[in-house]
Amino acid sequence: MITGYKKKRLGHPSKRLFGDVPREKWRAVIFSEIIFPIIMAVLFVIVYMFVKAFPDKDGKQLPSLLACIAIISLGPVVWNAAVILVLFMSSLSLGLML
């Protein structure tokens, strides 16, 4: 997404069409890569908690909705860290054997 500058190339005529492309402004990068995703995440959490706040047709209320969101969002991160740790340990031992 953040590219930098493309220089004009000499040689093939189709490559001469590239002009200098200015770098993205830092304010635009901060807004599009940090602030906007945080706003969208907060909005989705609020909407999810509102929809799930009502009891179902049996009258049962769901447990803590923030705990459900934390498990759904942090579960894959923890699982990925565990798999990477196991693969790192196996590569250490197999690397020494090879």
Side-chain angles (χ1 to χ4, degrees), residues 83-98:
V83 169
I84 288 175
L85 187 63
V86 167
L87 289 175
F88 175 70
M89 294 300 172
S90 65
S91 69
L92 279 179
S93 62
L94 290 175
L96 291 175
M97 288 192 296
L98 292 175

Side-chain angles (χ1 to χ4, degrees), residues 52-87:
K52 294 293 184 176
F54 301 107
D56 58 358
K57 57 185 169 186
D58 296 334
K60 295 179 185 174
Q61 187 70 25
L62 289 175
S64 175
L65 295 175
L66 285 177
C68 294
I69 292 172
I71 291 170
I72 290 171
S73 61
L74 295 178
V77 174
V78 172
W79 177 255
N80 188 23
V83 169
I84 288 175
L85 187 63
V86 167
L87 289 175

Side-chain angles (χ1 to χ4, degrees), residues 25-80:
K25 301 286 186 209
W26 66 272
R27 285 182 225 103
V29 172
I30 288 176
F31 182 77
S32 66
E33 298 293 326
I34 297 172
I35 295 173
F36 186 67
I38 289 173
I39 291 172
M40 292 298 293
V42 168
L43 179 70
F44 287 143
V45 166
I46 290 171
V47 170
Y48 177 78
M49 289 180 67
F50 176 75
V51 169
K52 294 293 184 176
F54 301 107
D56 58 358
K57 57 185 169 186
D58 296 334
K60 295 179 185 174
Q61 187 70 25
L62 289 175
S64 175
L65 295 175
L66 285 177
C68 294
I69 292 172
I71 291 170
I72 290 171
S73 61
L74 295 178
V77 174
V78 172
W79 177 255
N80 188 23

